[in-house]
Amino acid sequence: MKAVGYQKSLPIEAADSLVDFEIAKPEPKGRDIRVAVKAISANPVDYKVRKRAAPTDGYKILGFDAAGVVDAVGPDVSLFKPGDEVFYAGSIQRQGTNSEFHLVDERIVGNKPASLSFAQAAALPLTSITAWELLFDRLGAVPGKSLDPRTLLITGGAGGVGSILIQLARRLTGLTVIATATRPESQKWCLDLGAHAVIDHSQPMKEQIEQLKLPPVGLVASLTFTDQHYKSIADFIAPQGKFGLIDDPAEFNVAVFKGKAVSVHWESMFTRSSFQTPDMIAQHHLLNDVADLIDKGALRTTLDQTFGTINAANLKRAHALLESGKSRGKIVLEGW
C-alpha cells in the first residue's frame, strides 16, 4: 500500500522531511478494524511528532484524523463491519493515517456523518474529541440550553479545536462565548461559527473583556500560546473558575491561580487510547454524537482548505502552513 512518512526528524523544508513509500498492508487483530483511508486532515500534533520522534527502525507514518471505509475487522470487533463508513482520530502510539489502509481500535471510531463527504468528515475527529472532552469532561460545562451565568473564553478561536469548541459551547450550553483572534478574517470566522464576541489576544485582554460587559469569565479554554497569556488571564478569570489547556507551554506556573482557587485542567485526546482506560469507548459514543449533531444541522464541518491528494508534497505544504501559525479551520487531503 502507499504511505507517507519519514526516517529522520528534519525541518519541513528538507527534501526527506516527508517521503512517499510503499509498505505491506496491515492485518487487523483483536478489536482492530482496517480502514481504507479516503481522506485525512493535518493537525499541529503531526508536525510536533515529526520534529521530536525519529523512528528507530523503518518509517514513521504520521496522521491521526481519517475518514474512510471499513475494509476488514479483527475477530473481537462488534461495532463495525466491512463497508461501514467511519471517521476517527487514531492513537499516538501506533502508525498513522497517512496510508492507504490503517488499523484502529473500534472503541475510538465513530460512524461518519451521512450528510458529509469524506473530506468534510476528515476535518472533524481530533478537534471534536479534544473540544468535547475539554468542555464537558475537563471544564465541567453543563450540557443543555438553560442559561449559564458564566462566560467561556477561548484563546485561539479560529484554529481547528477552537472552531469546533465555539460551536459546541454555543449550540449545547447556555454559556456566553468569547473567542480570541488577531486577523480580521479569523475574527469573522469565529463570529460566523457562533461566538458572541471576539477580542484580539495581541492586545490587553482584560480591558477588551470589561468593555463587553458580559458575564464573568468562569471558564477558559487556552488552546495556543498559553505561556504568553495565562498570567494576564489569571488577573481577570473569576474566583473559583476553571482553566483548561491543550498546548505545550514552555513556562507555566500554576501558583498564579492559587489566590482565586482556580483549578487547572489538562486535556489530551490521546489519553484514553494510550492508557486503554475503562471508559475508552466514550470516544466512540462522542463521535457518534458529533455525527448526529452534524446530520441534524446543529454543527458544521470546520474544513477550510483542501490540499489535493494524499502525498508527501501536499503534506509538506500542510505542515508548513500549520507551523506558520496562520492556518484557519482545518486542512484536508483526499484520495491517493
Side-chain angles (χ1 to χ4, degrees):
M1 67 175 183
K2 296 178 181 178
V4 180
Y6 66 99
Q7 292 181 296
K8 295 181 179 179
S9 294
L10 298 168
I12 197 60
E13 300 81 15
D16 294 337
S17 60
L18 291 172
V19 297
D20 298 302
F21 68 100
E22 295 215 350
I23 192 172
K25 186 188 298 186
E27 295 299 326
K29 299 177 182 178
R31 297 194 72 172
D32 281 344
I33 60 174
R34 186 172 69 198
V35 177
V37 176
K38 302 300 183 184
I40 59 102
S41 75
N43 293 281
V45 66
D46 295 330
Y47 74 75
K48 292 176 182 177
V49 172
R50 193 198 80 242
K51 286 182 171 182
R52 68 186 182 214
T56 55
D57 182 42
Y59 288 91
K60 172 69 175 174
I61 302 173
L62 293 172
F64 300 98
D65 276 332
V69 179
V70 177
D71 167 71
V73 301
D76 301 327
V77 167
S78 62
L79 302 175
F80 299 100
K81 63 184 185 303
D84 288 345
E85 296 184 351
V86 296
F87 74 144
Y88 60 93
S91 165
I92 203 164
Q93 297 185 327
R94 308 181 71 171
Q95 290 283 42
T97 57
N98 298 343
S99 56
E100 279 189 282
F101 295 89
H102 181 251
L103 294 184
V104 61
D105 190 301
E106 65 170 347
R107 289 171 289 179
I108 58 172
V109 178
N111 294 289
K112 182 183 78 67
S115 59
L116 296 186
S117 67
F118 286 109
Q120 291 169 325
L124 289 166
L126 185 145
T127 52
S128 294
I129 295 169
T130 301
W132 189 291
E133 291 184 348
L134 179 59
L135 183 62
F136 297 117
D137 297 347
R138 313 295 173 235
L139 294 178
V142 181
K145 291 300 292 181
S146 57
L147 180 65
D148 191 317
R150 299 175 294 179
T151 289
L152 167 67
L153 174 69
I154 303 170
T155 62
V161 175
S163 294
I164 195 72
L165 181 55
I166 290 170
Q167 296 184 73
L168 290 175
R170 188 65 195 272
R171 306 288 183 267
L172 302 184
T173 79
L175 291 161
T176 299
V177 181
I178 300 177
T180 79
T182 55
R183 295 176 294 154
E185 59 269 31
S186 297
Q187 294 173 348
K188 182 179 184 302
W189 173 270
C190 292
L191 291 170
D192 289 345
L193 290 171
H196 290 94
V198 181
I199 62 173
D200 183 349
H201 56 243
S202 69
Q203 304 297 321
M205 288 191 279
K206 183 178 181 180
E207 290 81 355
Q208 296 177 75
I209 289 173
E210 288 175 345
Q211 290 174 5
L212 292 171
K213 300 186 185 309
L214 295 173
V217 177
L219 304 177
V220 174
S222 183
L223 307 181
T224 186
F225 299 117
T226 293
D227 50 349
Q228 296 180 24
H229 301 307
Y230 80 96
K231 290 180 181 176
S232 64
I233 290 171
D235 189 35
F236 62 77
I237 190 171
Q240 304 180 92
K242 296 183 178 183
F243 182 94
L245 66 160
I246 67 170
D247 60 343
D248 305 289
E251 183 271 330
F252 186 72
N253 182 1
V254 296
V256 299
F257 296 111
K258 180 181 179 181
K260 291 182 175 178
V262 168
S263 56
V264 175
H265 304 261
W266 290 95
E267 161 56 21
S268 171
M269 57 86 37
F270 295 117
T271 297
R272 282 175 161 138
S273 58
S274 294
F275 293 94
Q276 300 280 301
T277 61
D279 66 345
M280 183 172 162
I281 201 168
Q283 292 189 346
H284 165 71
H285 298 307
L286 185 166
L287 286 171
N288 282 345
D289 286 343
V290 168
D292 187 51
L293 289 164
I294 289 279
D295 288 339
K296 289 179 177 176
L299 300 177
R300 76 182 209 201
T301 182
T302 53
L303 168 62
D304 184 53
Q305 297 184 70
T306 303
F307 272 24
T309 56
I310 306 167
N311 59 41
N314 288 336
L315 275 165
K316 287 171 77 170
R317 289 172 54 218
H319 279 229
L321 180 55
L322 288 171
E323 289 185 50
S324 76
K326 295 180 180 178
S327 63
R328 182 185 64 186
K330 294 301 296 293
I331 304 164
V332 168
L333 292 82
E334 183 177 19
W336 294 91

